[in-house]
Amino acid sequence: MKQSLRRIVLVLTCALQSMHAGYLEFDSEDGTPYKWNVSTDVQIAVDPGVVSSTNGVSNAVGDTALGNAIGYYNAVTGTSLNITIVGDVSTDITNANVDDFLNIDEMAEQTSASDCLIGSDVATADLAVFFDADGSFFSSVGLGTSVLGIASPSLYNSSGDITCAYMMINGAAVDDADELEYIISHELGHALNLVHSQINGDLTTSDPDKVPLMYPFIPSDPAAALTPALKLDDRFSFSYLYAQDEIANGGSIQGTITNRFGEGVLATNVICRDTSAVENAVSWISGAELQGDGAFACGLLPNGDYEVEVSPIETAINIWEDNPPFIATEYYSGTDESFDPDVDDRDGAADVSVSGSAINNINIVLNEDGRLQNNVSVASSIVAGTPFDSSVIPSIHDLEYFFFVPSNARTVTFTLEANDTNDDIDLLVRCGSPFSLATGIVGPLYDQSDPANDQSDVVGVTTSGLETIELTSSSSPSIQECEYHLVLVNYTDEVVGFELTASITGNPPKVILDFTAQNQLQDNGETLVASLTAIAKGDRFVIDDITFTDEGKVGAGSATTAKLYRDDNENGQVDDSDTLLGQTTQITNGEFTIAGVDMYLLDDAPQEFLVTYDLSNTAGPQWWMWLFVVGLILGGCFVSPERGLKIFFIISMLASGISCSSGGSSDYNVKVLQKSDVVATALGFGDAFSIENDAVQSVQDFFAN
Amino acid sequence: MVRVFILLLCFSVNAWGILYKEINIEEMRDDSDIIFAGTVISESDGVVEGRQYVETTFKVLQWYGASPQTTVTIRQLANQNAKQKRQVFPGLPILRKGQHYLMFLPSKSAYGFASPTGLLTFTLFAKDVEDIKNAKASVQAIPNREAKGLFDNIQNPSIKALVQSKGLSTKVQKKTPIGLDLLEQIIMEKK
């Protein structure tokens, strides 16, 4: 049943099938959000007690606020979801009896009709509202008056439909009717399975009507006007669950958040914001449906020009990922979009024009500002520490650096040198995942008194401005094949300029290119002329350009276009599953260069590629045909009939033999002749590597053999 | 990499939606009964009166106020994730063993529950833990929420000027260090 429902949703929203809005509860196996079944009303039963004994807010005020809140959701068009109040429960709900009415401990699958406790009191109700009049429930579980309300779905059935939910209002914290209406509207969103939003939070005081209802904070300033109606971001989240038609018919922006290697980055916050109307903003969590591609989408967008921003998730907003990746905020930059900060200014935004339909492929590649290259120093400066008495509170450099140490590395050396070596700066290093600077929910970066408990694997913490860390197979810790992350700390009260260098030693890595000649017409009309297995040994590689030379009998001369595919399904044939990496029409003397292929090779992990030609339909007869004609002329016109017949026969047989052999695999013989034909970078060793194939053998391998 | 993320995602099966009231540092101070800087030295979990909890014990490094204690133990409401591991309810601060915090707490409830005031915690960073005792530490993160309004409407004019000069008048920038000495001055003004 769950699958059927999902298929229906997919049909309705084919243009937005990878989308979902923020939600609290979902199937942890496939990411499908739970939702109320729209074919029946969501029926609410209400606590008959006062809302706030502390601040004198009556039950009648609560009923009015709840009715208004329901109205905001029922007013959304394009859905048959309807929320109603069925009456009061029979008993005042208090801290003493709350567990008799609400399932607040676990989100669980409903196993019997009676599981939804409120249903045993008000037969048809499936959502209970609890007014904690004196705040005793909230204080009993250690929450103070700064928490205004809590809500959540609590049960679901085997079809993924929410069947029970609750809302709890902290009476000790509610000041008046306006605030109560805002709190109930927000909590009702949670009961409908909406999650928090983190956009426009800086406007809570100055422009509260532009802050999403699902923003998790309300101003403590009582003079700030509260506007509990759903904003665009709320409507998109709600409509994703309950009004898919509405989304499918509107303007939208869709794309992915990836790293430089095309791997999806999950759990970042993506915001699509109208450049001329800040309230027209919709947000999404990348990869929130557990897709590996880091997909996002923003829907219900009014016509306009939009900026697309990706930023870290605030921990309070994010309830499904303990440690969201620390990333620096950046914007979609159109044709400049790249991992390379020299190409892509993270603050530069390209407008995306929306006019009532889906805009696809707005793909953001996160910048790699902090990647170090082997033996290439970076120069920058660390902000000053904070003076305190005669000491200084240290500051941390605002960019984390990282460096890949490959399997062939025998030593790695990190050197941090202050411009003035009397300035005390430190270097902290860890292998594997990045340091956690943003969330602070893991251990300390460095703890001198308990190094086993901090995040650093190895540190340079002298009192000078020169820190050197060398790792070898015999050092402690020993060198590892991994991405090393580096954090810099400044113990002075001045800005400190520095140079940071990472360098490795070891046998240079290589790329082995293993070509197999082919001659097969493909379904797309191209001729497959070579299959290629590429293997990196000793490092990871990014290959940008490759120059091929075809020494086959026919060669590349007859081709109008040469193409390079990644054989994604590894079936040896070009088909829709494969990725076209690049192509060229510039073919000279059997040589051609495919540029910008961006081939990423992991260490010791073979990848398959295919080289094809578009053979010209308009080209003249091939040379063996001319030979045949010459034989015909010579044999028929310029010699005696007897000798002419022999000449004609011999030349014809020769031409015929050649023409027959032209269908063989020896017609094409694609190679890479020399290292300079490959423009590539080894992530660890940089440009210190070799290329090996039938035509190229490294000097190192020559001696090794 | 993707596989790792998916595993993490599968952990969470339940969540609360919580609405908070914005709170500034002085309100946070005034609403708290216990304020200290400390290091998390142990964690455990259990069930009391039908409520699951995660228990956290701090070694106190610096105590602010009367009746100083050397250790503080608090419980926070918890549930079990998909792998049957007990965790604090999503939205409540996650406190990590070995991490140093500046804690603002209400009085503990009858069963020992006390989540940080405003569900807001300060993570401290220092080269040596001894420095924290002398307020020579920086606040590097505010882990549980964007600190909206935290330094708004501060009454102490000298602190307000300092905060504004650092460009922090509206909120703490995550990567900008704030001196513990600054927060300590605000704490010590508690009436």
Side-chain angles (χ1 to χ4, degrees), chain A residues 24-25 28 98-99 104-107 137 139-143 146-152 166 173 175 179 183 186-187 190 196 201-202 204 215-220 263 266 290 292 314-316 320-322 326 388 391 393-394 396 398 424 426 439-449 453 461 491, chain B residues 1-2 5-6 8-10 12-23 27 31 50-52 77 79-80 82 87 89-92 94 96-101 106 109 113-115 117-119 123 125-129 134-138 140-141 143-146 148 166 174-175 177 179-181:
Chain A
L24 275 176
E25 307 287 0
S28 62
V98 62
D99 289 315
I104 59 176
D105 288 330
E106 298 290 344
M107 176 71 171
F137 169 79
S139 62
S140 75
V141 293
L143 304 175
S146 53
V147 175
L148 299 163
I150 293 171
S152 179
Y166 60 85
D175 291 326
E179 189 174 78
I183 297 167
H186 178 98
E187 299 306 340
H190 285 317
H196 285 151
D202 53 335
T204 50
Y215 186 73
F217 308 108
I218 66 173
S220 56
E263 297 164 330
L266 282 69
L290 314 189
E314 302 291 346
T315 313
W320 49 275
E321 166 56 71
D322 280 353
F326 172 72
F388 178 78
S391 187
I393 298 167
I396 295 176
D398 60 2
D424 181 6
D426 285 355
T439 63
I441 59 176
V442 295
L445 297 173
Y446 169 60
D447 186 343
Q448 188 177 45
S449 61
N453 221 354
V461 288
Y491 284 87
Chain B
M1 180 178 179
V2 168
F5 272 116
I6 289 174
L8 289 171
L9 291 168
C10 289
S12 297
V13 293
N14 193 15
W16 271 359
I18 299 177
L19 182 63
Y20 312 82
K21 181 173 281 188
E22 284 181 358
I23 188 168
E27 292 169 324
D31 289 349
R51 300 267 182 259
Q52 300 182 65
L77 204 59
N79 65 355
Q80 286 187 320
Q87 60 183 13
F89 246 92
L92 304 186
I94 300 167
R96 301 288 187 187
K97 187 177 177 182
Q99 182 68 280
H100 313 299
Y101 296 97
S109 72
F113 286 94
S115 285
T117 304
L119 303 188
T123 306
F125 176 77
K127 194 168 188 176
D128 189 325
V129 71
N134 300 312
K136 296 174 182 174
S138 56
Q140 293 296 344
N144 195 50
R145 49 169 281 191
E146 183 183 14
K148 178 72 176 65
K166 291 166 68 70
K174 282 188 179 301
K175 290 181 291 177
L180 177 58
D181 59 325

Side-chain angles (χ1 to χ4, degrees), chain A residues 305-558:
Chain A
D305 292 332
Y306 287 78
E307 291 178 346
V308 181
E309 171 189 335
V310 57
S311 50
I313 292 180
E314 302 291 346
T315 313
I317 310 296
N318 158 52
I319 46 75
W320 49 275
E321 166 56 71
D322 280 353
N323 195 12
F326 172 72
I327 61 167
T329 296
E330 69 176 276
Y331 293 84
Y332 172 72
S333 55
T335 54
D336 288 341
E337 192 57 49
S338 168
F339 69 89
D340 185 350
D342 291 336
V343 176
D344 181 3
D345 174 6
R346 69 166 68 252
D347 295 323
D351 287 353
V352 178
S353 184
V354 172
S355 56
S357 59
I359 308 297
N360 299 309
N361 297 319
I362 304 302
N363 303 324
I364 297 178
V365 182
L366 296 181
N367 278 18
E368 277 200 347
D369 310 55
R371 182 173 291 281
L372 298 171
Q373 307 294 326
N374 187 24
N375 279 323
V376 178
S377 296
V378 296
S380 185
S381 57
I382 320 176
V383 295
T386 306
F388 178 78
D389 286 346
S390 58
S391 187
V392 172
I393 298 167
S395 64
I396 295 176
H397 189 44
D398 60 2
L399 182 64
E400 184 191 59
Y401 293 95
F402 48 100
F403 179 66
F404 179 69
V405 174
S407 60
N408 267 22
R410 295 291 168 263
T411 68
V412 57
T413 305
F414 301 107
T415 305
L416 173 65
E417 183 171 8
N419 294 350
D420 179 345
T421 54
N422 292 317
D423 290 337
D424 181 6
I425 57 177
D426 285 355
L427 176 60
L428 313 180
V429 178
R430 69 181 270 131
C431 166
S433 60
F435 281 93
S436 183
L437 299 177
T439 63
I441 59 176
V442 295
L445 297 173
Y446 169 60
D447 186 343
Q448 188 177 45
S449 61
D450 191 4
N453 221 354
D454 64 24
Q455 296 184 46
S456 304
D457 291 336
V458 57
V459 296
V461 288
T462 71
T463 55
S464 77
L466 177 62
E467 304 293 351
T468 302
I469 295 173
E470 182 177 272
L471 301 178
T472 67
S473 58
S474 58
S475 65
S476 180
S478 61
I479 188 171
Q480 304 289 325
E481 177 192 357
C482 74
E483 193 114 84
Y484 280 84
H485 296 265
L486 294 80
V487 162
L488 283 51
V489 186
N490 180 4
Y491 284 87
T492 80
D493 60 354
E494 296 175 343
V495 174
V496 175
F498 67 86
E499 279 199 354
L500 176 65
T501 310
S503 58
I504 52 177
T505 63
N507 291 331
K510 62 186 175 185
V511 175
I512 301 171
L513 302 176
D514 184 9
F515 290 92
T516 301
Q518 305 283 354
N519 188 353
Q520 297 178 39
L521 185 63
Q522 302 293 287
D523 289 344
N524 65 359
E526 298 167 11
T527 299
L528 174 67
V529 296
S531 53
L532 164 63
T533 303
I535 310 173
K537 291 285 187 182
D539 205 338
R540 297 178 181 177
F541 284 83
V542 177
I543 299 176
D544 295 319
D545 307 339
I546 309 181
T547 297
F548 297 96
T549 301
D550 190 336
E551 297 178 331
K553 293 174 184 171
V554 176
S558 57

